[in-house]
Amino acid sequence: MGLTNSQYEKLMNIYDERMYSANRQAAERKAAFYGKYPQAKALDDAVTDDYASMAKARAMDDKEAFAKAEEHLTRTLSKKSAFLSSHGVDENDFLPRFNCPDCRDTGYIGNKKCHCFIQASIDLIYAQSGILDLLEKENFNTFRLNLYPEDMIDPVTEKSARQNAKSARDFSLDFSENFLTIHRGENILFYGATGTGKTFLTHCIAKNLIDKGISVIYLSAVRLFEIMARDHFGHDSGDATGFVNNDLLECDLLIIDDLGTETVNNFTISALFELINERGLSGKSVIISANLDPRNMMETYSERIFSRLAKNYRMFKIYGHDLRLR
């Protein structure tokens, strides 16, 4: 769970560039100093020669030659240290200055991801989610049940708008808290009138998961099908955020907002079916928000798409006044 392949490659390219840059700058600092003080370069070469003499003596099992080379190395290192000190520098000044000294800009400490890599992963997911600023304002901490009226009752469920919103919020919170365990591979469909908080709930879930380092791709239906069309018809397959079809299939959670606002045609219907079908087969979760009710979804798309949604998605009808006006 975590980064998609393309996200991981992008992040590793960043780390490779950091490591290369740190080593290059260290080499340039040393070269500049040695260019100014040839004596330092000569002492450095002498240290290298002494190490080579020690290695040769060890290979030949010549203990006397090894002892002499070791003694000479000690004197050479002392001279080198004194020379550097007299010019206000030490050996550490020529070492690479890594962004993260713990992993030396490799992203890993042994076989484990470094703390900096984990944070960089979260930052990348946030950046590519496209909703960073929104998530600062729209999250579970800012979800307000009192905006939903208690006197608006659904005739089918006999629940008030507030009771209904609380059920949706509580499930969404549990879904995001237990995404990797009991809710692995589950899907959600939020539907209802414009402005009732469907998108807000998807933002709440997205923030909780991204903060855990779980990869989330959030796209409006319009942008989603633009990306898929470019890939399908052989145009530039990359979105402005760097997404390609593989990311849409590989990310831990795909959120499709405002389904039904896109231009519906044979391509979008086919692409939507393939997307939700492929993610379902691989156990990858999808959250959809739509202004369409179930009957309109079946009429707008197809019976086979609606049957997938009805069978494999937890559906929440969100109702109430237009929260944006309130």
Side-chain angles (χ1 to χ4, degrees):
M1 307 297 288
L3 300 172
T4 64
N5 288 337
S6 65
Q7 287 173 329
Y8 180 81
E9 289 173 5
K10 181 174 183 177
L11 203 52
M12 289 310 300
N13 286 338
I14 292 173
Y15 270 84
D16 287 344
E17 175 58 30
R18 286 179 183 175
M19 185 166 55
Y20 170 77
S21 179
N23 283 300
R24 176 177 53 79
Q25 291 173 15
E28 289 173 352
R29 289 194 301 273
K30 179 181 281 190
F33 185 80
Y34 285 176
K36 187 175 182 180
Y37 301 105
Q39 305 96 310
K41 176 65 166 60
L43 287 168
D44 203 24
D45 290 341
V47 168
T48 301
D49 291 341
D50 289 341
Y51 276 120
S53 297
M54 290 173 61
K56 181 179 179 180
R58 185 187 295 278
M60 298 178 64
D61 197 25
D62 189 334
K63 294 182 176 55
E64 183 177 353
F66 182 86
K68 288 182 178 179
E70 187 176 34
E71 181 181 354
H72 193 273
L73 172 63
T74 301
R75 292 197 301 268
T76 306
L77 287 173
S78 180
K79 290 179 182 179
K80 180 181 177 182
S81 178
F83 183 87
L84 294 177
S85 180
S86 68
H87 290 82
V89 299
D90 61 38
E91 198 69 45
N92 291 331
D93 293 327
F94 303 134
L95 295 178
R97 296 168 184 170
F98 297 110
N99 286 269
C100 179
D102 295 333
C103 69
R104 298 171 64 84
D105 287 351
T106 64
Y108 284 80
I109 300 176
N111 293 323
K112 293 184 177 181
K113 293 178 181 177
C114 180
H115 58 85
C116 72
F117 188 91
I118 294 172
Q119 184 60 51
S121 301
I122 294 173
D123 292 343
L124 177 62
I125 295 169
Y126 260 120
Q128 291 200 325
S129 71
I131 52 173
L132 175 59
D133 293 337
L134 282 173
L135 298 190
E136 294 300 318
K137 301 174 183 177
E138 301 186 5
N139 51 68
F140 285 114
N141 291 330
T142 60
F143 189 93
R144 295 170 58 190
L145 281 174
N146 63 347
L147 292 177
Y148 292 87
E150 293 184 298
D151 58 353
M152 182 182 287
I153 309 298
D154 182 80
V156 177
T157 64
E158 298 184 345
K159 282 186 176 182
S160 71
R162 187 171 300 179
Q163 290 173 321
N164 180 69
K166 183 178 185 302
S167 295
R169 182 205 61 182
D170 291 349
F171 181 82
S172 298
L173 180 59
D174 186 67
F175 178 87
S176 62
E177 291 296 332
N178 298 287
F179 180 79
L180 299 179
T181 53
I182 61 177
H183 294 300
R184 183 186 294 272
E186 290 188 9
N187 310 292
I188 304 175
L189 170 63
F190 296 115
Y191 70 96
T194 300
T196 52
K198 305 180 299 297
T199 295
F200 198 111
L201 279 170
T202 66
H203 290 170
C204 294
I205 294 171
K207 177 169 175 55
N208 265 22
L209 295 183
I210 293 174
D211 284 346
K212 294 180 175 68
I214 295 170
S215 61
V216 176
I217 291 180
Y218 183 102
L219 293 169
S220 69
V222 172
R223 289 186 65 210
L224 170 69
F225 292 114
E226 284 177 355
I227 293 169
M228 298 183 75
R230 284 201 298 267
D231 185 84
H232 178 79
F233 294 110
H235 301 302
D236 176 17
S237 62
D239 184 64
T241 51
F243 295 137
V244 293
N245 271 2
N246 284 344
D247 291 326
L248 302 180
L249 296 175
E250 294 174 1
C251 65
D252 297 324
L253 174 65
L254 174 64
I255 299 178
I256 307 172
D257 191 32
D258 277 341
L259 185 67
T261 58
E262 77 284 357
T263 300
V264 179
N265 51 41
N266 289 336
F267 169 76
T268 56
I269 292 173
S270 176
L272 178 62
F273 176 79
E274 290 181 12
L275 181 61
I276 62 176
N277 189 56
E278 286 297 320
R279 286 189 63 85
L281 291 174
S282 60
K284 298 286 189 177
S285 296
V286 178
I287 295 179
I288 298 173
S289 75
N291 295 333
L292 304 172
D293 61 27
R295 180 186 297 274
N296 287 333
M297 285 184 200
M298 185 164 61
E299 293 174 352
T300 302
Y301 297 100
S302 66
E303 187 174 340
R304 66 173 184 167
I305 287 179
F306 182 75
S307 67
R308 288 287 195 286
L309 298 179
K311 181 180 179 181
N312 301 318
Y313 283 65
R314 178 73 176 264
M315 294 190 179
F316 289 93
K317 178 183 178 182
I318 311 298
Y319 51 93
H321 300 305
D322 190 328
L323 301 182
R324 293 173 295 186
L325 297 178
R326 294 172 66 85

